[in-house]
Structure formats: structure tokens, C-alpha cells
Amino acid sequence: MSPTFSLVSPKPCNIRQGNGKQFMSQNSFNLSTMRSEVISVSSSIKPQKSIRAELTIMAPAKQSSIPVFPELTKPGIPFFDLRLQEVVKRQSQKSHSFDVDDQARRKPQFHPSFLEESYERCRCICEEYAKSFYLGTMLMTEERRKAIWAIYVWCRRTDELVDGPNAAYMSSEVLDRWEERLQDIFDGRPYDVLDAALTDTVFKFPLDIKPFRDMIEGMRMDTRKFRYENFQELYLYCYYVAGTVGLMSVPIMGTSPESLISVKRIYDSALYLGIGNQLTNILRDVGEDAIRGRVYLPQDELAQFGLSDKDIFSRKVTERWREFMKEQITRARFYFNLAEEGASQLDKASRWPVWSSLLLYRNILDAIEENDYDNFTKRAFVGRTKKLLMLPLAYTRSLSTPNINITPFTKLLKQ
């Protein structure tokens, strides 16, 4: 199950090398040659501290007397002790420095042309695979948009290890090695040119490693867990594979000096946007996931409507399925409503890509409804024209002035 980033067909991407010569990357990020990378990642040989300058290509009818979703009265409350308060505290530090005596944490010195190439490759990948989001990043300061590109690429590479075209070569050892590489990135020892961009980013911004580690844990879940008994379990999965992206992004986006809410609430909003996005991905991809024998829907809630995996594998839209889907869509929209609180509290130059993502995913939910809740044989998508029309609206929303007239939490619960 892919996190928050949508995929499109890959195209060649022109990038300039450090020596000024132009070359064409081969499927710059569809992992067409990922087998060699998986072998490389799973190797027991630790990478040297020196940077590898060459690119390794990754590389029932419901009873009215019983509430359908009792958890819906508290969906914004984390069900697990994820120690996120610690992450917020560390990432909210005004200064970002490391012990100069700790050689492993000393900021690496990259040649300017090499670093330029690293970020350019990240930019190209983001432009190709996340067009609307990429356009929104262009309003950000140069340093911030480059950092967001680096985070996007790392998240995409992580997801492709499990959900990409070469996922057959996946193993627990591969993810263990990938986590070791993550630590190397945070220690200033990137493995390849794409890692180098994230290394530079983590030494410029107060990024904590925990959300990155948690995303890898989400990939591990995808290799061993194919059913979710209840929403609590699904919430945890959504946090790992998508909510983490929001936590990674807040230090880069920055907060508005006019913001009148706490930093914790801004982080909560970022987390809720990730949860909403992933729930939307799940609802959009029910049919595709079923083909692979996966059901990312709460089993107890299916049962409340007289449904089971058998109904999903039959790929038939029934009235029971429509009623079930209406409740699931309500939940996803609930999280988007919560996310709005923080979207306009970010730094003004960073809001457009966030609002673009929020509105785009809401439109996917609309498309599921327009398809009469047939997410078995029809893929809900937002057409190019609609996307283009959405961007000005997202931009207008991004210009809104932060205020504290936020819809109360209890009111959102009743929506």
C-alpha cells in the first residue's frame, strides 16, 4: 500500500552532472533495476564514509440502535504511545547543532557541484511523480523546497522497496539494511547521491530520526500483516506509512509568526493530514489490494454491515457496501477537517503544497462517490483539468491569515 504519493508512468529526466555534461537517467525513479539495489541494500558490507558519487538506480444492514463506529467519537486521539511529544519537542528547537567532538555527527563537506546535482535529481523525481505537490513547492524558499524534495525522494524510495515493481526481492534483511543506511544519513555518511541531499537537509533543519524509522516500520508491517481487526490497528498503520510524512515536513515548512495555536496542534494537524491521505488511498485502492489478497479495512466494521473479505473479493457493489463506504469516507473527511487547523498556521510560503494535497485527496473521495462507491473495478481519480482548477483554490486558501476561530473539536465529531 503506497503512502501519500501517487504514481504516474515514468519518463526520462534530464539532469546535469557536476562536470556540466548532460545525461539521461534511465527511468530515474521507477526502480526498473531495483534488484541490484535490493542486493546492495541487503549486503552485510557497510558503506565507506566517502560518498559514492555515482547514482545507484533505485534506485449488512446496520442496526440503528447500535453506533456503527464507537471509535469515531475519539478518532483524533492516538491509540498508542508513539512518543510523538518527544519528536515535537526535539524538532521545535530553535537551534540545531551537534557535538563537534562527535565525529559521526559532524556535518559532511560536499563539493558544491555534487550537492547541486543531488538536489537536482530529487527535484526531477518530485516533479515527475508528484506534479501538483511539486508546483506548490515552487513558492517556498529555495532551501525549504530543496529539503522537501529530499524528504519526498527518501519516502518514495522507502515505499518502493515494499510496493514497487521489484518488491519480490524484498526481505526483512533489506529493510534492516535500509534502516542502517538511514542512520548513516543522519550520521553524515550518505551512501549515494540521493542520500546526500537528505544528509544535507538533516544538518540544516531540526529533523528527528524517529518518524523516518517509523516509516520503515510501516513497510515491515506491509510484509507481514494483511488484515486489520479494528480501526485502532489501522490507525497505527496509517501513522507509520503516512502520518510520519507530516511529522517530517513541519520543521521544513516552518510555522507562521502570526500563528496563535501551539506547535503541538500544528504537528497534530500534519499528522491528521497524513492519516486522511492514507485512509483515502486505502478506499481508492480496495479493488487493487484485493487482487493481491490484501484488505486494509477494519474487519469489525465490515462485520457490522454484514460484510466480510468474501464480499470484497467478489467485487460486487451492494447496498451494504455503499453504506459501509459512506461511513469510511466520513471518517477520512473528518481527518481532513482536523488537518485544516494547521494548514494555515504554517509559514505563508509553505502552505500551497499542503492545501493542494488536502484538496486533491478530498476530490478523490468525491470521485469514489461519483463512481457509486465502486472501488472494486473503477479507480477514483482527479482528472488533469480538475487538478488545474483546484490549484488556484488551494493558493487562495494558502493566503488565509492564521486565526483562532477554528471549528471546535466536538463540532467536528458531529459532522
Side-chain angles (χ1 to χ4, degrees):
M1 173 66 64
S2 299
T4 58
F5 311 120
S6 58
L7 310 181
V8 297
S9 300
K11 299 178 182 178
C13 181
N14 292 317
I15 308 173
R16 291 191 178 276
Q17 288 179 303
N19 59 9
K21 294 182 180 180
Q22 195 174 55
F23 73 101
M24 189 79 71
S25 67
Q26 301 175 359
N27 279 353
S28 61
F29 202 72
N30 71 337
L31 304 190
S32 61
T33 59
M34 184 173 172
R35 182 175 185 177
S36 61
E37 174 57 21
V38 169
I39 294 173
S40 172
V41 171
S42 60
S43 171
S44 61
I45 301 175
K46 296 278 289 183
Q48 298 178 354
K49 292 186 179 181
S50 59
I51 307 304
R52 291 179 56 174
E54 70 275 15
L55 169 66
T56 302
I57 300 181
M58 286 285 171
K62 54 184 178 180
Q63 301 179 25
S64 58
S65 60
I66 302 177
V68 177
F69 297 132
E71 294 88 356
L72 203 56
T73 62
K74 54 177 182 179
I77 302 174
F79 299 104
F80 304 88
D81 180 14
L82 298 171
R83 293 172 22 208
L84 301 186
Q85 290 277 16
E86 299 174 18
V87 175
V88 173
K89 183 178 179 180
R90 288 191 292 264
Q91 292 192 162
S92 301
Q93 295 175 355
K94 296 297 183 180
S95 61
H96 181 46
S97 60
F98 302 101
D99 188 345
V100 295
D101 294 326
D102 184 355
Q103 295 295 327
R105 300 291 291 178
R106 183 170 295 175
K107 183 176 181 179
Q109 298 299 314
F110 297 117
H111 190 281
S113 62
F114 173 76
L115 199 55
E116 180 182 358
E117 176 188 349
S118 178
Y119 279 116
E120 175 61 15
R121 295 192 184 197
C122 291
R123 183 204 66 78
C124 188
I125 292 168
C126 188
E127 180 184 25
E128 182 58 44
Y129 293 93
K131 291 179 172 61
S132 298
F133 181 82
Y134 168 77
L135 184 59
T137 65
M138 299 310 291
L139 287 183
M140 301 168 67
T141 64
E142 180 181 4
E143 188 175 61
R144 286 177 174 171
R145 64 172 175 257
K146 288 164 67 175
I148 286 294
W149 298 338
I151 290 176
Y152 171 84
V153 168
W154 185 87
C155 292
R156 187 177 177 84
R157 295 174 95 180
T158 302
D159 175 57
E160 290 283 3
L161 287 172
V162 173
D163 211 32
N166 291 278
Y169 303 106
M170 254 300 303
S171 68
S172 59
E173 289 76 13
V174 170
L175 288 174
D176 290 343
R177 179 67 191 96
W178 190 247
E179 189 165 3
E180 290 177 11
R181 283 183 58 166
L182 172 66
Q183 186 63 60
D184 288 336
I185 288 172
F186 272 76
D187 286 343
R189 302 191 302 270
Y191 182 77
D192 62 21
V193 69
L194 295 179
D195 284 353
L198 185 56
T199 291
D200 186 62
T201 294
V202 302
F203 278 87
K204 286 181 177 178
F205 295 89
L207 287 169
D208 190 83
I209 197 172
K210 177 175 167 54
F212 295 84
R213 289 190 187 278
D214 284 351
M215 175 170 279
I216 296 175
E217 183 61 28
M219 301 304 112
R220 290 194 179 96
M221 290 180 68
D222 247 343
T223 65
R224 62 177 184 249
K225 190 173 181 64
F226 311 111
R227 297 294 186 276
Y228 293 85
E229 292 302 318
N230 48 52
F231 180 65
Q232 288 91 330
E233 289 187 4
L234 187 61
Y235 179 96
L236 182 61
Y237 170 73
C238 290
Y239 159 72
Y240 277 133
V241 301
T244 50
V245 180
L247 301 185
M248 299 172 192
S249 302
V250 172
I252 311 301
M253 300 288 189
T255 58
S256 171
E258 303 171 355
S259 176
L260 298 176
I261 67 175
S262 68
V263 173
K264 173 63 167 55
R265 285 169 66 182
I266 294 176
Y267 271 91
D268 285 345
S269 294
L271 172 59
Y272 296 145
L273 178 57
I275 299 295
N277 284 351
Q278 187 60 25
L279 290 174
T280 301
N281 282 339
I282 289 170
L283 300 181
R284 179 195 62 195
D285 298 339
V286 167
E288 296 175 17
D289 291 328
I291 293 174
R292 299 188 301 161
R294 295 174 177 268
V295 178
Y296 292 90
L297 297 169
Q299 294 289 309
D300 61 342
E301 296 177 6
L302 283 168
Q304 288 181 24
F305 286 85
L307 299 168
S308 67
D309 290 356
K310 182 179 179 180
D311 295 283
I312 295 174
F313 296 144
S314 71
R315 302 166 69 85
K316 292 182 180 179
V317 179
T318 64
E319 191 58 33
R320 290 179 177 181
W321 177 255
R322 292 187 182 93
E323 292 303 313
F324 172 77
M325 282 300 301
K326 289 176 184 178
E327 295 290 348
Q328 299 299 317
I329 289 174
T330 295
R331 173 181 281 150
R333 285 175 172 153
F334 174 88
Y335 279 100
F336 289 137
N337 289 342
L338 291 178
E340 282 195 16
E341 178 182 26
S344 292
Q345 309 297 316
L346 298 171
D347 183 89
K348 190 173 184 178
S350 301
R351 298 176 201 161
W352 195 17
V354 177
W355 274 107
S356 296
S357 176
L358 200 160
L359 296 180
L360 172 62
Y361 273 81
R362 275 182 167 159
N363 283 336
I364 293 175
L365 295 175
D366 295 341
I368 294 174
E369 293 174 328
E370 292 167 2
N371 288 339
D372 194 27
Y373 306 99
D374 182 2
N375 45 2
F376 298 123
T377 64
K378 298 179 181 179
R379 182 178 175 84
F381 69 96
V382 182
R384 179 180 177 84
T385 300
K386 198 167 186 178
K387 281 184 179 180
L388 293 174
L389 293 175
M390 175 199 68
L391 291 174
L393 176 60
Y395 180 69
T396 300
R397 297 295 294 270
S398 73
L399 298 179
S400 61
T401 302
N403 60 72
I404 58 175
N405 294 321
I406 305 299
T407 303
F409 186 84
T410 53
K411 183 177 180 180
L412 283 171
L413 291 169
K414 299 177 182 178
Q415 292 184 353

